[in-house]
Amino acid sequence: MDIEKKARFGKEILKINPESETEEITEFVREMTLKKFRRKGVIVGLSGGIDSAVIAELSVRALGRQRVLGLLLPERESNPVSLEYGQKQAAQLGIETLIVDITRFLESFGIYSRRNQIITQIVPEFEDTFRFHITLPQNLLEMDRFNYHSITVEGNDGNKRTERLSAKDWMEISACQNIKQRTRMIQLFYHGERNNYLVAGTTNKSELMQGFFVKFGDGGVDIEPIAHLYKTQVYQMASYLGVMPEIISRPPSPDTYSLPVSDKEFYYCIDYELLDLLLYAYENEIPSREITTALGLEEKEVERVFRDFKAKEQASWHLRQIAPTVTGC
Amino acid sequence: MRKQIEQLIRNFIIESFLFGESDSLSDSDSLLERGIIDSTGVLELVAFIEETYGFRLADEELIPENLDSITNIVDFISLKQAHISNKG
C-alpha cells in the first residue's frame, strides 16, 4: 500500500473519497459515543471555522441532530464573524446551541491585563483598545532561517508597529493566550458532562503532526474524528457535506488575537496546499527528486521545509503524549 | 579572545538547554537538528548574546549560518565585534 502511494506522489495524492470517508467517520462517532463511551450525544465547540463545521456535520449524520449540541464560546477579542458563522452553521444543521461568552472567565484569570502589561513594556504606546497579533517570519522557502516570534501592534489610527519578542515575553504572552483554549475546554466538558455527552475534538492531521493546538485546550477532548485528515482533506469533506460557503472561503485563523492573523502567518509559514503535500512527503519519506518534480520546488526549498517540520515536531512532541509514568504504563 | 567567547557560549548552551549534561556536544553540531534549541531557545540565545556583548541582532541575522552551532555563533560574534571596533 505504501509503495503504491509513494510511486504516485503528486498534487493529487491527498484526494479522498468524501462519501466513504463520511461513512467511516460517522461509524466511528457512533461507535465511540454510544458503545465505547456510552454517552447520549456529542458536544462540539463551534468556532465559525471549517474544522468544527465539518465535525458538527459529521456528528449530525452519525447521531441525528437531537444528539448534537453546539457550543459557541466567543470572547472580547474574537472576530465577530466567528460567532455569526457558527450560529448560521448550527441553524443550517438544526442543532441546539448555547452561547457562553468566556470574557468574564478570562478577566478573572487576569489574562488580558497581565498580557497587555507585557505588551506595554515592548510597545510603550500600547493601549487596551489597540489590536495585536503574533507572527513568524514568512520566508521559509526562500532562505535558511530560524523561527522567532514578532508582535505587531495596531493603534486606533490604524498605524502598525512590529517588534521581535524576547523568549520571556513570548512565553508570557503565549501562556496567557493559551488560557483562552483551556477555558473553552472547561466549558465544553462542563456542558458535555451535564448532558452526558462526549466532547468531539476538531484537530486535523496537519495540526496534530506539527503541534498546532493547545495541550488541555483544543487538544483536550474525548475523541478526534478528523485527526487522520490533512487540512486540505477537511476542505474536501466540507464541500461534500455542504458546509456554508462563507466558512469554506474564510482564511483559517487561530482567532485568539485581536488583530486578525492566518494559520500561515502565525505558525506554518506556507500555504496549506503546499504544507499538506510536503507533510505527506515528509511522513512517507518520499524521495526528494519525486517531491521536487511533482511540486516544482528546488531541493533546497524542500530541505528547508523539512527542517522546519522536524523542529516543530520535536518541540511539540509532549503535546501528543499522555503524561509519562515511572513504569511507562 | 575567541577561546573565551567559545567557553561562554558553550557554558550558556549547556546550562540553559542541556541542563548541565554536556555529554557529546561538539562545536560543529547543529543545535536545531539535534533538538537542542527551538524557536524559544533561539530567542534565549539571542538575548544572551545581546546582553553579554552589548549589540543588537537584526532580524535578518537570525539565521543558521550565524547561530546554529557553537562554531557559527563564535564566528558571528567575532565578526560583529571586529565590525563594531572598526567602525568605532
Side-chain angles (χ1 to χ4, degrees):
Chain A
M1 182 66 178
D2 274 346
I3 293 164
E4 196 187 340
K5 272 185 185 174
K6 282 174 193 174
R8 285 202 229 122
F9 180 75
K11 288 185 177 172
E12 304 296 306
I13 196 84
L14 299 180
K15 275 242 161 92
I16 53 169
N17 177 344
E19 191 181 344
S20 59
E21 200 62 53
T22 298
E23 274 176 37
E24 195 180 335
I25 298 172
T26 50
E27 179 54 34
F28 168 79
V29 172
R30 258 193 310 275
E31 176 77 19
M32 285 293 136
T33 309
L34 306 173
K35 295 186 182 160
K36 199 89 178 168
F37 284 72
R38 300 187 60 78
R39 301 287 169 85
K40 295 185 186 305
V42 155
I43 185 164
V44 187
L46 294 171
S47 68
I50 195 157
D51 300 306
S52 62
V54 164
I55 289 293
E57 292 275 357
L58 289 166
S59 301
V60 168
R61 287 178 190 230
L63 302 165
R65 61 183 178 85
Q66 307 291 350
R67 291 181 185 273
V68 180
L69 175 62
L71 203 54
L72 298 127
L73 299 159
E75 47 100 14
R76 75 179 195 207
E77 293 175 341
S78 301
N79 187 334
V81 304
S82 300
L83 178 61
E84 182 194 326
Y85 290 175
Q87 280 180 302
K88 272 191 190 170
Q89 184 66 42
Q92 184 179 299
L93 281 165
I95 61 172
E96 188 191 335
T97 55
L98 269 175
I99 302 175
V100 181
D101 188 323
I102 62 167
T103 303
R104 67 183 191 281
F105 302 108
L106 299 175
E107 280 170 345
S108 75
F109 282 123
I111 74 142
Y112 298 116
S113 54
R114 174 76 195 121
R115 186 204 61 197
N116 288 0
Q117 251 175 21
I118 295 156
I119 299 174
T120 308
Q121 285 165 18
I122 306 160
V123 181
E125 64 268 30
F126 185 80
E127 291 172 20
D128 285 356
T129 52
F130 285 20
R131 302 196 299 170
F132 85 101
H133 68 207
I134 307 281
T135 54
L136 291 178
Q138 293 299 294
N139 52 353
L140 176 58
L141 286 174
E142 291 88 56
M143 63 179 292
D144 292 333
R145 92 289 189 268
F146 286 114
N147 282 326
Y148 57 87
H149 294 95
S150 297
I151 184 167
T152 297
V153 164
E154 185 190 68
N156 296 330
D157 55 4
N159 281 333
K160 288 180 184 169
R161 178 174 161 188
T162 300
E163 294 290 337
R164 189 171 75 221
L165 288 173
S166 70
K168 191 172 178 299
D169 289 344
W170 160 242
M171 288 190 290
E172 285 269 11
I173 292 171
S174 173
C176 286
Q177 291 295 114
N178 288 348
I179 291 178
K180 295 185 179 186
Q181 284 96 331
R182 293 191 174 116
T183 301
R184 293 193 170 107
M185 182 273 289
I186 289 169
Q187 289 295 327
L188 284 163
F189 273 93
Y190 167 65
H191 289 286
E193 285 176 4
R194 60 186 277 268
N195 285 288
N196 200 19
Y197 280 13
L198 66 73
V199 177
T202 63
T203 303
N204 59 57
K205 184 168 181 168
S206 318
E207 293 169 337
L208 187 66
M209 282 179 78
Q210 290 285 278
F212 188 31
F213 59 93
V214 175
K215 193 171 192 175
F216 308 128
D218 48 332
V221 295
D222 288 319
I223 56 169
E224 290 283 18
I226 57 167
H228 62 298
L229 296 176
Y230 292 98
K231 183 81 171 189
T232 46
Q233 295 175 324
V234 176
Y235 275 91
Q236 295 172 53
M237 293 294 289
S239 298
Y240 170 76
L241 294 167
V243 169
M244 283 166 44
E246 297 97 311
I247 289 180
I248 294 177
S249 61
R250 185 180 181 198
S253 164
D255 195 22
T256 48
Y257 294 96
S258 49
L259 186 62
V261 66
S262 67
D263 289 354
K264 174 181 179 282
E265 293 166 316
F266 178 68
Y267 199 76
Y268 294 119
C269 310
I270 46 175
D271 288 320
Y272 272 115
E273 288 73 17
L274 185 57
L275 174 87
D276 286 355
L277 288 164
L278 287 171
L279 279 175
Y280 176 90
Y282 176 75
E283 187 184 28
N284 292 281
E285 297 174 354
I286 305 292
S288 176
R289 178 171 285 201
E290 276 187 55
I291 304 170
T292 53
T293 307
L295 305 182
L297 293 173
E298 287 175 23
E299 205 175 322
K300 193 82 192 149
E301 293 176 318
V302 175
E303 279 173 19
R304 285 179 189 130
V305 175
F306 280 11
R307 242 195 329 264
D308 192 63
F309 285 172
K310 193 178 171 193
K312 284 174 179 156
E313 192 179 66
Q314 283 177 337
S316 65
W317 75 270
H318 63 99
L319 302 182
R320 292 176 289 273
Q321 305 298 313
I322 57 165
T325 62
V326 173
T327 54
C329 60
Chain B
M1 188 63 177
R2 193 182 161 83
K3 195 76 198 156
Q4 271 181 340
I5 299 173
E6 193 220 299
Q7 201 52 54
L8 213 56
I9 294 297
R10 173 174 279 279
N11 287 347
F12 173 74
I13 290 169
I14 289 170
E15 284 308 311
S16 304
F17 307 122
L18 298 171
F19 309 106
E21 304 270 337
S22 61
D23 290 355
S24 54
L25 179 66
S26 81
D27 286 355
S28 58
D29 277 351
S30 163
L31 302 176
L32 199 59
E33 279 179 23
R34 281 200 53 186
I36 294 169
I37 55 171
D38 55 15
S39 55
T40 311
V42 170
L43 293 172
E44 282 183 56
L45 177 63
V46 167
F48 176 74
I49 294 170
E50 289 182 337
E51 279 164 28
T52 309
Y53 296 99
F55 55 75
R56 169 114 177 126
L57 274 77
D59 290 351
E60 54 271 21
E61 289 176 318
L62 305 194
I63 53 176
E65 197 185 325
N66 294 338
L67 302 171
D68 193 31
S69 67
I70 293 176
T71 302
N72 290 8
I73 298 166
V74 175
D75 286 347
F76 173 67
I77 293 170
S78 305
L79 253 171
K80 281 287 275 192
Q81 285 185 321
H83 183 67
I84 291 163
S85 60
N86 282 345
K87 271 175 87 178

